[in-house]
Amino acid sequence: MSDQFRPSEEQEMLRASVRALAEDKIAPRAAEIDETGEFPWDVHAALVAADFHAVHIPEAYEGAGADAVASCIVVEEVARACAASSLIPAVNKLGTQGMILSGSEDLKRRYLPLVARGEAMFSYALSEPEAGSDAASMRTRAVADGDEWVLNGVKRWITNAGVSSYYTVMAVTDPDAGANGISAFVVHGDDEGFSLGAPEKKMGIKGSPTRELYFDNIRLPGDRIIGAPGTGFKTALRTLDHTRPTIAAQAVGIAQGALDYAVGYVKERKQFGRAIAEFQGLQFMLADMAMHLEAARQLTYAAAARTDAGDPDATFFASAAKCFASDAAMQITTDAVQLLGGYGYTRDYPVERMMRDVKITQIYEGTNQIQRLVMARQVLRAR
Ligand code: COS
């Protein structure tokens, strides 16, 4: 495998067609989506019509069968226009990846075509009020009862909760077995005993609802378990190895959107009798932004390629890409606001939204402190 990411002609064509859709149907809506905080069903419909809403689903289950690199291209290009909208393809992958990796053939045939056809979305439910970074300390419990499981507990910070029809939920099935006593299940939004908390009032990605899930004695048929009992935590972590590159791609996309806007602005804005792009102090800022952005993109696609190939370094690369790209994107979007001066600080321009939106990429799918912990373990193990 090459260590450098050079897009193929097919990947360039995919990028161009997602960009065209994003510029036509998503970018004009981005400010309004942020302002109203409503889930953009029109954007969802446009993504489904173009088959960009869940490209990762294998062809055997009616999906587009896109690899991880192509999935990242889709998320990056949608995020360049609207970060909240990019969570439609990103969360569909996060929600179904565990089933793709560990689920029975029967489960895959039952659920994946629904997502592939755009008839349902799938969310991922790992975190709890008292179990964030320390995910294995979760308390949600599933107790076997005959052929069924009885589920009780609370999940928090669930992206696209309420708009998703299905949830991949990790729950303790053997309290004495620690991380190896956790199992993964499919929960339906209309299961009896399922309810939702109020939407969180967030800094950014406002068009993507984040809510709690409550499970009150939900009776799950035995065939709703994903993989064998006790394998759910590993399935959850393996899922994140596949999806942290997607978050890296989201960060790269948001940062590219901010850089593109700032470049256009500095060429037009005049001070001291000339375009501010002519001042070297600003040129150096633009150079640093572009340099860090390209480094982040290279690492993101190197990580994505490794997840597909089942490379032993995939865990390291996924964490490195997510951490590096989100830190770089936070700096780039902050600098974009700076380049626009006072205008950048107002909602009349998109860069303050991009700066708010990108902050979450340093936090979700594992904080960047956890990414460093994962990377350090991999580095020490390798040696
Ligand atoms: N893939 C498969 N298995 C993995 C794995 C991976 N990437 N990483 C660890 N495992 C295995 C371990 O080998 C261990 O199995 P054994 O007991 O059989 O050896 C098991 O999973 C438990 O792993 P570990 O002991 O490393 O678990 P810890 O409790 O120490 O925590 C961290 C692991 C901190 C890395 C994990 O809890 C984590 O990623 N936290 C962040 C959670 C997160 O990202 N939340 C966001 C949710 S999405 S918004």
Side-chain angles (χ1 to χ4, degrees):
M1 184 190 320
S2 165
D3 279 335
Q4 282 178 313
F5 174 69
R6 297 182 76 91
S8 67
E9 204 175 314
E10 199 183 343
Q11 288 163 345
E12 291 288 20
M13 278 166 57
L14 172 67
R15 183 180 288 281
S17 64
V18 184
R19 181 168 294 201
L21 176 90
E23 288 186 345
D24 182 31
K25 298 246 164 62
I26 304 176
R29 286 271 287 119
E32 192 183 2
I33 291 167
D34 177 61
E35 206 68 46
T36 62
E38 283 167 14
F39 181 77
W41 285 108
D42 58 323
V43 170
H44 179 262
L47 289 171
V48 169
D51 210 8
F52 292 147
H53 61 293
V55 289
H56 69 288
I57 306 266
E59 285 172 2
Y61 308 102
E62 302 182 32
D67 62 14
V69 167
S71 303
C72 282
I73 289 171
V74 171
V75 170
E76 183 192 332
E77 286 301 326
V78 176
R80 179 175 167 272
C82 173
S85 298
S86 72
L87 284 162
I88 295 169
V91 171
N92 272 336
K93 178 161 179 172
L94 178 65
T96 54
Q97 189 65 40
M99 183 182 289
I100 291 170
L101 289 168
S102 314
S104 67
E105 194 53 31
D106 172 55
L107 276 188
K108 292 185 207 176
R109 293 214 172 280
R110 226 186 305 163
Y111 294 101
L112 296 179
L114 296 171
V115 181
R117 294 198 296 262
E119 292 166 14
M121 287 183 275
F122 236 99
S123 290
Y124 172 93
L126 178 69
S127 301
E128 298 184 0
E130 303 301 328
S133 292
D134 184 8
S137 71
M138 68 179 63
R139 293 182 195 160
T140 293
R141 209 42 233 282
V143 178
D145 182 18
D147 286 343
E148 296 181 329
W149 296 91
V150 181
L151 183 71
N152 280 286
V154 179
K155 293 289 175 182
R156 184 173 282 179
W157 312 125
I158 307 310
T159 307
N160 282 357
V163 295
S164 282
S165 307
Y166 303 109
Y167 300 83
T168 293
V169 174
M170 273 50 76
V172 175
T173 47
D174 180 354
D176 299 326
N180 291 310
I182 291 170
S183 306
F185 297 91
V186 178
V187 174
H188 296 193
D190 61 2
D191 279 334
E192 203 178 323
F194 179 95
S195 59
L196 294 159
E200 304 290 347
K201 295 172 184 156
K202 294 173 299 183
M203 173 189 280
I205 54 162
K206 295 188 180 187
S208 164
T210 307
R211 304 172 71 166
E212 286 190 327
L213 312 182
Y214 306 123
F215 314 126
D216 181 12
N217 280 317
I218 300 184
R219 296 194 78 84
L220 299 173
D223 62 4
R224 294 257 208 103
I225 194 165
I226 300 173
T231 61
F233 194 64
K234 283 184 182 142
T235 295
L237 294 186
R238 284 172 67 211
T239 296
L240 295 173
D241 286 347
H242 284 260
T243 56
R244 285 173 177 159
T246 319
I247 299 306
Q250 183 184 42
V252 167
I254 299 169
Q256 185 70 61
L259 177 60
D260 290 348
Y261 196 89
V263 166
Y265 181 87
V266 297
K267 287 186 191 163
E268 294 295 323
R269 171 75 172 166
K270 288 196 171 56
Q271 288 294 279
F272 304 100
R274 62 176 90 160
I276 60 173
E278 291 180 32
F279 294 107
Q280 197 178 44
L282 270 55
Q283 290 177 356
F284 282 5
M285 282 176 73
L286 289 165
D288 277 342
M289 291 160 79
M291 173 176 70
H292 289 120
L293 181 53
E294 199 48 48
R297 181 176 285 115
Q298 293 293 329
L299 190 51
T300 297
Y301 287 97
R306 276 169 174 78
T307 63
D308 273 340
D311 193 292
D313 272 348
T315 299
F316 173 84
F317 268 79
S319 284
K322 191 276 198 192
C323 185
F324 186 88
S326 59
D327 283 352
M330 192 69 244
Q331 186 62 51
I332 292 162
T333 54
T334 305
D335 285 347
V337 170
Q338 189 70 20
L339 286 168
L340 269 72
Y343 295 106
Y345 202 64
T346 71
R347 291 199 190 178
D348 297 331
Y349 293 82
V351 287
E352 65 84 33
R353 183 187 78 241
M354 294 163 173
M355 180 179 162
R356 285 186 287 106
D357 282 344
V358 92
K359 178 65 200 170
I360 193 62
T361 64
Q362 294 180 301
I363 299 171
Y364 63 12
E365 294 211 20
T367 63
N368 282 1
Q369 288 66 37
I370 288 294
Q371 307 309 324
R372 289 178 167 93
L373 178 152
V374 171
M375 283 186 273
R377 285 181 181 180
Q378 294 293 319
V379 167
L380 290 167
R381 185 171 306 162
R383 287 175 185 177

